[in-house]
Amino acid sequence: MSKNKVYFYLVVIFILAFGAGNLVYPGYFNRLADYINLPRFPEIPFKLGLDLQGGAHLVYQADLTGISQEDRASAMEGLRDVIERRVDIFGVREPVIQVQGERLIIELAGVMDVDEAIKMIGQTPFLEFKEQRSSEETQKIIDKRKEAEEFIGKEMEQWTAEDFQKIQEIPEWHLIFEDAYFVSTPLTGRYLKRAEIGFDQTTFQPLVSLEFDKQGGIIFEELTGRNINKLIAIYIDRVLISTPVVQEKISGGQAQISGQFTVEEARELARNLNAGALPVPIQIISQQRVGPILGKVSLEQSFQAGIFGFLAVIIFMIIFYRLPGFLASLALVIYIILILSLFKLIPVTLTLAGMAGFLLSVGMAVDANILIFSRLKEELKAKKNLSQSIEEGFSRAWSSIRDGNLTTLLVTIILFYFGLGFVRGFALALGLGILVSMFSAIFITKNFLKLFEQTSLEKINWLWR
């Protein structure tokens, strides 16, 4: 490699480091830019996880009544996806949403107002279609309610908690709480593909047009086919919105919700349905506000540990490897700047686990340099010049560096794919660190070393051995 090429690569490396450094901490440059009227670097904050900046921890219980056992897992996955989209719309940074059985655990970093978080989740409407009961079933439920009211001695609206306990003595008491006129069907917002505002061509009243996915279209076709000349009830959040009469079997998965909507109400409903109609109803069973104080202490301690560890590594490298060790330390500084700028650009949510992954990758970056420098020393002892020793050192160390980093990278991919929450954060930080550390060890350190080829410093053996 010619010396001019080395100079060119070094200029590129320092320009890259300068840009990344100002992206990580743009304060000094932006003050200078304001003074001499230059463009400013964007001020992008680090994204901190729930354990470092606090936030809201919510647990919801899903009501899977009416969902077959084999469909419950997919219903919960659909529920998680819908909540994730809903939370994303409100700009919450990388929410952690996990399914545990019939429960949904939601962690919203940076959201300190739990009521606002609950409102954010709850604004998603639950859409369901119901079909008409037979007159016999309707009458049976109405008769059961009358029997219960006579048994208690007052109307249902006046019942107390004790009265609700008492009516369980009545046979088939659960019928009292059934919808007397409509019965649930499998068609819910779970199958909704798209919703948009429209207008009735006769009355010009605003309405909401729905389009179901393929499976929803099949269910809707079957539903309308067996209910010709009957009512179908459309409920949103368990409130009856409209009861159109089915004129014919409807194919293609298209439906309309008409009601006494204003234009703004219809637009809001369509927007919320598009954001995610819940496939199953949910109820919050636990809410907790996580304070940032513990995270702040942990962040400070992690930062101190990182600083001390980094200084220890630099001292070790310089003592044992002298000039190559100093150059490797300089490359390590550039590595840290690059990886921190990537954390901002991607962006990566930093948790304590992610910080551990990042610090571990620093150690692996040094490990590659140690392998290279050990080979370099051996070549120099064999009386080869610096240029030959650098090429041989990197060439002979490459297979060990490649295999070691590749196997760790494979593990991070597996952890990221199958893991949840903090495990994925750890895997992502470590994986990025490995990729950038290989660039640092193979490209940056090598060009630093080549800068000293055929110079007077090459002949000072103490610096290299």
Side-chain angles (χ1 to χ4, degrees), residues 129 187 191-196 207-214 216-221 223-224 232 234 244 246 248-257:
F129 286 69
L187 189 60
Y191 302 104
L192 186 65
K193 185 178 180 182
R194 180 168 47 245
E196 59 185 10
L207 49 81
V208 176
S209 299
L210 305 178
E211 182 181 349
F212 297 104
D213 60 16
K214 185 178 179 181
I218 293 170
I219 298 172
F220 188 59
E221 184 177 352
L223 180 63
T224 53
I232 282 186
I234 302 174
V246 179
E248 59 184 351
K249 183 177 181 179
I250 302 174
S251 304
Q254 304 281 342
Q256 290 182 341
I257 304 175

Side-chain angles (χ1 to χ4, degrees), residues 50-51 56-62 73 75-84 87 94-108 121 282 285 351 418-425:
L50 185 69
D51 57 344
H57 180 95
L58 308 173
V59 180
Y60 282 89
Q61 177 73 43
M76 290 302 296
E77 293 297 323
L79 178 63
R80 184 192 63 188
D81 294 342
V82 168
I83 295 294
E84 205 165 47
V87 173
E94 198 165 328
V96 176
I97 303 175
Q98 302 175 50
V99 174
Q100 288 188 357
E102 297 182 1
R103 291 183 177 180
L104 200 66
I105 299 172
I106 304 172
E107 294 180 349
L108 305 173
I121 303 298
I282 56 175
I285 57 174
T351 61
F418 291 103
L420 290 172
F422 295 153
V423 175
R424 296 189 76 182

Side-chain angles (χ1 to χ4, degrees), residues 424-436:
R424 296 189 76 182
F426 172 81
L428 180 59
L430 181 57
L432 281 173
I434 290 170
L435 292 174
V436 179

Side-chain angles (χ1 to χ4, degrees), residues 197-377:
I197 185 174
F199 292 91
D200 189 296
Q201 294 184 353
T202 306
T203 63
F204 301 105
Q205 283 289 316
L207 49 81
V208 176
S209 299
L210 305 178
E211 182 181 349
F212 297 104
D213 60 16
K214 185 178 179 181
Q215 190 177 356
I218 293 170
I219 298 172
F220 188 59
E221 184 177 352
E222 292 172 353
L223 180 63
T224 53
R226 66 172 180 264
N227 286 284
I228 295 174
N229 296 324
K230 294 181 181 177
L231 296 173
I232 282 186
I234 302 174
Y235 284 75
I236 293 179
D237 292 338
R238 301 187 187 280
V239 175
L240 181 62
I241 299 299
S242 63
T243 52
V245 178
V246 179
Q247 303 294 339
E248 59 184 351
K249 183 177 181 179
I250 302 174
S251 304
Q254 304 281 342
Q256 290 182 341
I257 304 175
S258 57
Q260 301 301 316
F261 296 128
T262 65
V263 173
E264 185 55 37
E265 287 171 342
R267 183 177 291 117
E268 183 180 357
L269 178 58
R271 184 175 63 241
N272 287 340
L273 286 172
N274 280 324
L278 293 179
V280 294
I282 56 175
Q283 182 181 10
I284 190 163
I285 57 174
S286 171
Q287 54 183 355
Q288 185 179 3
R289 179 178 176 271
V290 180
I293 297 175
L294 179 61
K296 185 180 178 183
V297 173
S298 301
L299 183 62
E300 289 173 354
Q301 290 177 344
S302 300
F303 184 72
Q304 288 177 2
I307 291 289
F308 289 130
F310 179 67
L311 291 175
V313 167
I314 286 179
I315 292 170
F316 172 84
M317 292 297 289
I318 292 175
I319 290 175
F320 281 87
Y321 295 100
R322 299 165 190 173
L323 184 58
F326 172 77
L327 297 175
S329 301
L330 185 59
L332 200 59
V333 172
I334 296 176
Y335 158 77
I336 292 173
I337 293 171
L338 291 178
I339 196 71
L340 289 178
S341 66
L342 280 178
F343 284 168
K344 280 192 170 186
L345 284 175
I346 289 179
V348 176
T349 299
L350 286 176
T351 61
L352 283 176
M355 296 279 287
F358 165 61
L359 294 176
L360 183 58
S361 72
V362 174
M364 296 192 69
V366 177
D367 182 60
N369 283 310
I370 289 175
L371 284 172
I372 293 167
F373 296 158
S374 296
R375 296 292 185 183
L376 176 67
K377 278 187 172 184

Side-chain angles (χ1 to χ4, degrees), residues 125-247:
F126 173 59
L127 170 69
E128 58 182 335
F129 286 69
K130 293 186 177 181
E131 59 187 333
Q132 209 170 356
R133 288 185 185 275
S134 65
S135 56
E136 292 79 13
E137 287 179 331
T138 299
Q139 192 58 50
K140 187 176 180 180
I141 293 172
I142 292 173
D143 290 344
K144 187 59 68 177
R145 285 181 184 171
K146 286 181 180 176
E147 179 187 346
E149 288 177 343
E150 288 173 1
F151 180 73
I152 298 297
K154 49 190 170 184
E155 294 182 353
M156 282 181 66
E157 291 76 13
Q158 300 170 334
W159 287 358
T160 63
E162 292 179 356
D163 295 332
F164 280 104
Q165 291 286 332
K166 194 176 179 182
I167 60 165
Q168 294 183 24
E169 300 172 12
I170 302 173
E172 296 184 299
W173 61 271
H174 63 277
L175 291 176
I176 300 166
F177 303 103
E178 296 280 342
D179 186 331
Y181 301 97
F182 297 100
V183 62
S184 296
T185 70
L187 189 60
T188 67
R190 175 186 178 186
Y191 302 104
L192 186 65
K193 185 178 180 182
R194 180 168 47 245
E196 59 185 10
I197 185 174
F199 292 91
D200 189 296
Q201 294 184 353
T202 306
T203 63
F204 301 105
Q205 283 289 316
L207 49 81
V208 176
S209 299
L210 305 178
E211 182 181 349
F212 297 104
D213 60 16
K214 185 178 179 181
Q215 190 177 356
I218 293 170
I219 298 172
F220 188 59
E221 184 177 352
E222 292 172 353
L223 180 63
T224 53
R226 66 172 180 264
N227 286 284
I228 295 174
N229 296 324
K230 294 181 181 177
L231 296 173
I232 282 186
I234 302 174
Y235 284 75
I236 293 179
D237 292 338
R238 301 187 187 280
V239 175
L240 181 62
I241 299 299
S242 63
T243 52
V245 178
V246 179
Q247 303 294 339

Side-chain angles (χ1 to χ4, degrees), residues 397-411:
W398 165 242
S399 58
S400 301
I401 296 171
R402 179 198 60 201
D403 295 347
N405 283 280
L406 192 60
T407 50
T408 310
L409 197 59
L410 285 173
V411 172

